[in-house]
Amino acid sequence: MMKHSWYCPNCGQPLVVKSAVDNATARTTWSIRCLNPRHFSTGGYPDPEHAEEQLEKALASC
């Protein structure tokens, strides 16, 4: 689903795309995160492509 392979800056594990649905509004948000919940995660975005763009910006500033 992602254009590139991304890895956690903390542990080096591959980052995965996760979706979540808000029960009250039925909106789906997408985030990219490490398998370890204490490590790296983006915020929620309306589509996976936008989440990946924000991920690229966040990792460029690290």
Side-chain angles (χ1 to χ4, degrees), residues 5-26:
S5 297
W6 298 97
Y7 299 94
C8 177
N10 295 318
C11 66
Q13 291 186 36
L15 296 175
V16 295
V17 177
K18 297 281 185 173
S19 65
V21 178
D22 182 356
N23 288 335
T25 62

Side-chain angles (χ1 to χ4, degrees), residues 30-49:
W30 299 84
S31 62
I32 300 174
R33 57 185 52 197
C34 179
L35 295 173
N36 184 332
R38 295 182 181 185
H39 287 185
F40 185 83
S41 177
T42 65
Y45 296 98
D47 56 62
E49 292 80 18

